[in-house]
Amino acid sequence: MLRNYLKIAFRNLWKSKGYAAVNIVGLSVAFFVSVFLFLTAYFQLSYDSFHEDGDRIFQTYFFANETEKASRVDVMPFPLTPAIKAEYPEVEAIARLMNGSNVVSYKEKSLDKQIMLTDPDFLRIFSFPMIKGNRTTALNDQNNIVISQTMAKSVFGSEDPMGKRLQLGIDNNKKDFIVTGIISDSPDNSTIRYDAFIPITSFSNYQTDKDKWDAMSHKVFLKLAPNINQAAFESRLTSFTKKYFQENIEKLKKQGAKPDERGDLFALRLQKLSDVHFDTKMSGGIGAPVALVYAVMGIAFFILLIACINFINLSIARSFTRAKEVGVRKSLGALKNQLFIQIWGEATLICFIGFVVGMILTYLLLPTFNATFQGKLTLDYMLQPDKVALIIGIFASVTLLAGGYPARQMSKFNVVDVLKGKVTLKRPGILRNSLIVTQFTLSSLLICCTIIAVQQVDHMRNQPLGFQKEQVISIPVGSKVNGQQALKRMRNTLANDPTVVAITGSGVNLGLGKDKSTSRSVMGFTYKEKEVSTDWLHIDYDYLKTLDIKLSAGREFNPAYASDSLNRVIITESMAKMIGEKDPVGKFFQTDTAGATYQIIGLVPDFNLYASTSDKKPITMHLSHNEDISYIFVRVSPKSLSGSMEKLKNLWREIAPQSEFTGTFVDENTDSWYKNEERLSQIFSLASGIAILLSCLGLFAVALMVIEQRTKEIGVRKVLGASIPSIVFILSQDFVKMVVLAIVIATPLAWFFMQKWLNNYSYRIEISVWIFVSVGFTAILIALATVSFHSIKAALMNPVKSLRSE
């Protein structure tokens, strides 16, 4: 019996090659796109989920309900961790974590690595697999180091690293460490990335900052004991906050701040580990917005739904041509269940072929997908049991929905009516119209979202950054070179080069370069009883000239003034506003009571230092010959732009032969600020294109079904004198009405969702009504173009042929 069913199924598919081809193409495209999108979303949602007891792991952050708006900061002072550990026994483990990078030296090797500074409890909180060593004692001594598997191979090769001595640092600042453990590499879905861990007590400024409650420098993670509730523990932290941060609370009161709904002006709170990756505000935009992840899942579902609707429409359209076959089989004794299995089997076969083709496309297009959407999917990842189960689940759901319904309807045909040629479906109009409206609602929604997302990205790109990003080259110095010396040598070498306009250095890059590194230093202090928080930016001479930032008042740093490198600063207008000074040049302030007194010598307009999606933050620029220069910026003349990169690369080989040249143009670096928005617009563009394509296939099928049912009506109208344009109008108007209804439904949905998305941006577009008007006209034109093929063909048909059977 099964063999017979398969033989009939293949015979029917071969007989209706066009029908099979349309279905297979539609399903294969839907399968491979939805699998990509579902797996991408699944990957994002799996971040940090591999840790044991992950529901008991939290990151601490400070909440302040300031007068303008509430703020959250996840950098902590050094004494906080030991204080919590001593005062709260319900904290099972707590560890500080500080980002770092360093040069690792072993024998003749010298490599740049990401060395994280932490506490011994880190290995008790997080369950990164320990390959060698004891996780409870591996970081107990100040000269211990735990290295990753990759670092073990790159540094020690085939040697056993355990107990070996290596050095961290450069020149005369090298320090010995002993390898006491090997830990597995951090998975791709881990928020914490590392090459090695060393005790945080080995940090150079640890002894001077270990008792300072206002020196914020690192993150803190803790693990609560079983059965300890997060909300209850946060309420217990209220007394801790009042004990150690009473000064912060009093300052907020003086500013007129009011407690939030939980009664807090200033509080220490916990964030679940599972939420850390998605919190783009505290991570500085490094993570993925959770809205983007759910948008990807929604789009994948929409595309699958449209493909299922197409399959149902095509199957129902074809059921009218197979009605007599069903009637004959029933008259010969075929049972309803047998007919259902046969017809559903054919649908399953089409779905299976579409699925196989879709999986082949998935395999072939995997590198392209990863490159386009910055994905990290691999074939091994897709073949994991839970991923295979997800893919099979998608296939089974589509088969049951798209194949089961038409098979059930066809198996219920009445034998007598079918053999008389009177085949009908109960209430076909409601089903057909609902499917068309659903398809075009989803398609119109995606098109509207695509246009708005693209416009927002373009708006952000065109938004003034406050500096000239063109013709500026950014060179990461790296850990192997002294930045101050490299900058000095480069200045001396290029001093008389007419193609070089200006050279400067800074501790912070603009955008994200090839080193994929970013850092931020925030200074908080009190100025005339006002709480001040500012980005503390280390720069060198000619910074404003190199980036073409104009002075609003005062002067730039000048080598002629020795005090400029000691206690002089240049501030932005937002910083002047924060300290409440309309004419700040010449004013003095102290960062703490025991610290140096700084004098403001210059005022510049606001500029974006870290991202263009938020307000321009207050920035204070200082100059110091003792602090590291991490990046060198070179402005070149427009005429020499093409050869400037190669010239600097050759010069870098002379200045720093031990360090790789990874220079990039600043305008390329700042493109990283828009990566999430660009990714979203790309996904929407892909999805809307596929949705329109699949919707047109579905509409094509429905038009065929309706016109086949109205063949005799068309013949009668032609005999009675109806013109071809009038017949085309009659056949098309119902479809146009449904498309208009779909647009009416999609417009408020698109407006609502995109308004919520745009509210996340300080610099945003206003949604124009013309977007929806243009999408509406486009959808109607596409629908008319799709339907008109069958309408014109039917209108041109000889009425004698259509009425011959009457």
Side-chain angles (χ1 to χ4, degrees):
M1 182 68 74
L2 181 61
R3 183 181 177 185
N4 185 47
Y5 283 159
L6 285 173
K7 186 187 293 184
I8 294 169
F10 278 112
R11 186 186 299 156
N12 284 327
L13 293 180
W14 184 255
K15 183 180 177 182
S16 306
K17 291 189 266 309
Y19 157 81
V22 170
N23 266 327
I24 289 171
V25 169
L27 286 171
S28 60
V29 170
F31 273 129
F32 98 82
V33 171
S34 60
V35 164
F36 271 144
L37 297 182
F38 273 126
L39 287 178
T40 299
Y42 186 91
F43 175 80
Q44 292 293 332
L45 293 173
S46 71
Y47 255 77
D48 300 316
S49 61
F50 54 89
H51 292 292
E52 296 174 10
D53 303 320
D55 58 328
R56 295 197 281 131
I57 301 174
F58 301 89
Q59 180 184 358
T60 62
Y61 69 92
F62 287 121
F63 166 84
N65 200 39
E66 298 170 351
T67 51
E68 294 183 359
K69 60 179 180 180
S71 64
R72 296 179 302 134
V73 179
D74 61 351
V75 285
M76 302 285 131
F78 277 112
L80 181 137
T81 296
I84 290 179
K85 191 170 186 177
E87 298 181 26
Y88 293 94
E90 60 264 49
V91 176
E92 189 174 294
I94 185 169
R96 296 163 288 194
L97 184 67
M98 181 185 289
N99 289 324
S101 60
N102 220 319
V103 176
V104 178
S105 302
Y106 178 72
K107 294 182 178 178
E108 301 300 321
K109 291 183 179 179
S110 182
L111 303 169
D112 280 323
K113 294 295 179 182
Q114 186 175 10
I115 312 297
M116 308 295 286
L117 297 97
T118 189
D119 289 299
D121 271 0
F122 178 88
L123 298 175
R124 292 178 57 201
I125 297 172
F126 298 99
S127 53
F128 295 110
M130 199 80 173
I131 309 302
K132 288 184 178 181
N134 187 334
R135 68 188 315 121
T136 58
T137 60
L139 290 173
N140 280 0
D141 293 331
Q142 193 167 322
N143 65 339
N144 290 164
I145 184 171
V146 174
I147 63 176
S148 67
Q149 286 178 291
T150 298
M151 180 170 164
K153 291 178 182 177
S154 61
V155 174
F156 295 97
S158 58
E159 295 182 48
D160 183 4
M162 293 297 291
K164 294 285 195 309
R165 190 179 297 271
L166 53 76
Q167 292 181 317
L168 300 182
I170 60 173
D171 299 334
N172 298 323
N173 296 321
K174 290 184 179 180
K175 186 176 179 181
D176 289 346
F177 287 86
I178 298 172
V179 178
T180 53
I182 301 176
I183 197 169
S184 67
D185 295 337
S186 57
D188 287 333
N189 59 339
S190 173
T191 303
I192 299 171
R193 317 294 298 174
Y194 55 82
D195 286 317
F197 295 100
I198 60 175
I200 201 166
T201 52
S202 63
F203 176 56
S204 57
N205 293 336
Y206 182 78
Q207 292 302 322
T208 57
D209 292 347
K210 67 177 183 178
D211 297 320
K212 291 183 179 180
W213 285 89
D214 57 351
M216 310 295 183
S217 58
H218 59 274
K219 298 182 179 182
V220 171
F221 292 90
L222 59 82
K223 185 176 184 180
L224 294 177
N227 303 319
I228 299 298
N229 181 268
Q230 176 188 350
F233 182 72
E234 285 183 341
S235 64
R236 287 203 62 198
L237 287 173
T238 303
S239 58
F240 181 89
T241 307
K242 291 179 179 178
K243 179 178 179 181
Y244 294 104
F245 299 97
Q246 187 61 37
E247 186 178 348
N248 300 69
I249 297 172
E250 293 301 324
K251 288 176 183 176
L252 285 170
K253 287 180 179 179
K254 288 181 181 179
Q255 294 171 14
K258 303 294 183 184
D260 71 339
E261 65 278 0
R262 293 167 61 172
D264 292 329
L265 273 175
F266 186 87
L268 179 65
R269 293 180 179 175
L270 306 181
Q271 182 179 50
K272 293 179 180 178
L273 179 64
S274 57
D275 295 335
V276 171
H277 173 67
F278 302 107
D279 194 336
T280 56
K281 291 187 177 179
M282 281 205 294
S283 68
I286 297 173
V290 70
L292 174 61
V293 177
Y294 287 121
V296 167
M297 293 180 67
I299 289 168
F301 175 76
F302 287 169
I303 290 174
L304 273 182
L305 182 60
I306 290 172
C308 291
I309 290 172
N310 283 349
F311 195 98
I312 293 171
N313 281 341
L314 284 167
S315 298
I316 292 176
R318 191 164 172 259
S319 68
F320 290 93
T321 63
R322 295 188 62 184
K324 287 187 179 179
E325 175 197 337
V326 173
V328 169
R329 288 182 180 277
K330 275 197 167 186
S331 65
L332 293 176
L335 300 176
K336 185 186 294 185
N337 290 340
Q338 291 175 320
L339 287 171
F340 174 81
I341 292 172
Q342 180 201 327
I343 298 168
W344 184 57
E346 290 180 20
T348 303
L349 181 61
I350 292 175
C351 286
F352 180 74
I353 296 172
F355 176 74
V356 171
V357 174
M359 292 304 99
I360 293 173
L361 289 173
T362 302
Y363 173 74
L364 295 176
L365 297 175
L366 185 61
T368 305
F369 178 86
N370 284 335
T372 304
F373 299 109
Q374 293 82 47
K376 295 183 179 178
L377 301 180
T378 62
L379 190 61
D380 292 338
Y381 175 81
M382 294 171 63
L383 293 178
Q384 292 174 3
D386 55 338
K387 316 306 183 300
V388 172
L390 174 66
I391 294 171
I392 293 174
I394 293 172
F395 168 72
S397 301
V398 171
T399 303
L400 287 171
L401 177 62
Y405 179 79
R408 182 173 175 273
Q409 292 299 110
M410 289 176 67
S411 65
K412 289 164 62 178
F413 282 161
N414 183 280
V415 180
V416 177
D417 289 340
V418 165
L419 294 177
K420 284 183 177 181
K422 298 178 181 179
V423 57
T424 58
L425 291 172
K426 291 183 179 179
R427 305 174 73 184
I430 293 177
L431 172 65
R432 180 190 68 220
N433 296 349
S434 299
L435 295 178
I436 293 174
V437 170
T438 302
Q439 280 185 317
F440 274 88
T441 297
L442 297 177
S443 300
S444 300
L445 177 64
L446 289 173
I447 294 172
C448 290
C449 293
T450 299
I451 294 173
I452 294 170
V454 169
Q455 287 186 352
Q456 175 63 17
V457 172
D458 290 340
H459 177 74
M460 290 191 298
R461 283 186 177 280
N462 297 325
Q463 192 70 30
L465 298 177
F467 61 88
Q468 290 296 326
K469 60 183 179 179
E470 290 79 13
Q471 291 125 40
V472 180
I473 296 173
S474 169
I475 305 172
V477 173
S479 303
K480 300 178 183 179
V481 183
N482 184 304
Q484 293 279 3
Q485 294 178 6
L487 176 60
K488 185 177 180 180
R489 288 190 62 186
M490 187 168 281
R491 267 207 182 101
N492 293 336
T493 306
L494 299 174
N496 298 318
D497 192 327
T499 64
V500 175
V501 178
I503 303 174
T504 190
S506 174
V508 175
N509 201 1
L510 293 167
L512 202 62
K514 288 183 179 179
D515 61 341
K516 304 298 181 186
S517 178
T518 185
S519 62
R520 188 170 197 168
S521 177
V522 178
M523 183 72 73
F525 58 91
T526 303
Y527 179 82
K528 295 182 179 180
E529 297 187 350
K530 290 183 178 180
E531 194 68 21
V532 176
S533 177
T534 175
D535 280 304
W536 196 252
L537 177 63
H538 174 224
I539 66 172
D540 204 79
Y541 300 114
D542 292 333
Y543 187 82
L544 303 185
K545 180 181 178 182
T546 305
L547 297 179
D548 197 18
I549 301 173
K550 307 299 182 184
L551 276 164
S552 300
R555 63 176 178 84
E556 192 176 355
F557 292 123
N558 192 322
Y561 298 92
S563 57
D564 280 4
S565 62
L566 299 175
N567 55 2
R568 301 291 187 266
V569 296
I570 299 171
I571 66 171
T572 60
E573 292 174 354
S574 289
M575 176 61 177
K577 184 180 178 181
M578 179 169 280
I579 63 176
E581 296 286 356
K582 293 183 179 179
D583 184 16
V585 176
K587 300 295 190 296
F588 294 85
F589 65 84
Q590 279 185 291
T591 54
D592 59 69
T593 53
T597 299
Y598 294 92
Q599 183 184 21
I600 301 170
I601 63 168
L603 178 69
V604 297
D606 292 330
F607 63 93
N608 291 101
L609 185 59
Y610 294 101
S612 65
T613 55
S614 58
D615 293 326
K616 294 181 175 72
K617 304 292 185 184
I619 300 172
T620 300
M621 291 166 276
H622 72 287
L623 189 147
S624 172
H625 297 315
N626 298 321
E627 293 186 37
D628 289 335
I629 292 290
S630 301
Y631 298 91
I632 297 174
F633 298 108
V634 182
R635 175 172 288 280
V636 296
S637 61
K639 294 180 181 179
S640 63
L641 198 60
S642 57
S644 57
M645 188 68 76
E646 191 63 31
K647 179 192 291 186
L648 290 176
K649 185 176 182 180
N650 294 331
L651 177 59
W652 189 255
R653 288 197 190 103
E654 298 175 14
I655 294 174
Q658 72 275 35
S659 181
E660 182 185 2
F661 178 80
T662 54
T664 51
F665 286 100
V666 168
D667 55 354
E668 294 174 354
N669 293 355
T670 54
D671 284 344
S672 64
W673 289 343
Y674 320 107
K675 64 180 181 179
N676 285 328
E677 290 73 22
E678 284 188 332
R679 194 182 310 171
L680 182 63
S681 63
Q682 287 172 340
I683 290 173
F684 274 136
S685 299
L686 172 68
S688 58
I690 291 173
I692 275 291
L693 175 64
L694 295 179
S695 296
C696 288
L697 284 174
L699 190 61
F700 190 85
V702 173
L704 174 64
M705 176 177 71
V706 172
I707 290 170
E708 281 187 354
Q709 287 180 307
R710 300 178 69 176
T711 301
K712 290 183 175 62
E713 176 195 337
I714 295 168
V716 171
R717 288 182 180 274
K718 288 196 74 175
V719 168
L720 294 176
S723 65
I724 291 176
S726 66
I727 291 174
V728 172
F729 175 78
I730 291 169
L731 294 175
S732 303
Q733 65 177 352
D734 290 338
F735 295 106
V736 172
K737 289 177 182 176
M738 286 183 281
V739 173
V740 170
L741 177 60
I743 295 165
V744 170
I745 297 172
T747 296
L749 291 175
W751 184 89
F752 174 76
F753 289 122
M754 296 312 287
Q755 280 286 4
K756 288 183 72 69
W757 179 66
L758 289 171
N759 286 338
N760 295 319
Y761 302 97
S762 301
Y763 308 105
R764 49 157 292 179
I765 62 169
E766 292 300 324
I767 299 177
S768 171
V769 68
W770 291 108
I771 293 175
F772 305 111
V773 173
S774 61
V775 169
F777 274 115
T778 303
I780 291 170
L781 288 174
I782 291 173
L784 283 173
T786 305
V787 173
S788 61
F789 173 80
H790 292 305
S791 301
I792 295 171
K793 184 179 178 182
L796 292 173
M797 188 182 295
N798 190 337
V800 175
K801 291 182 179 180
S802 58
L803 297 173
R804 182 178 293 169
S805 61
E806 292 295 327

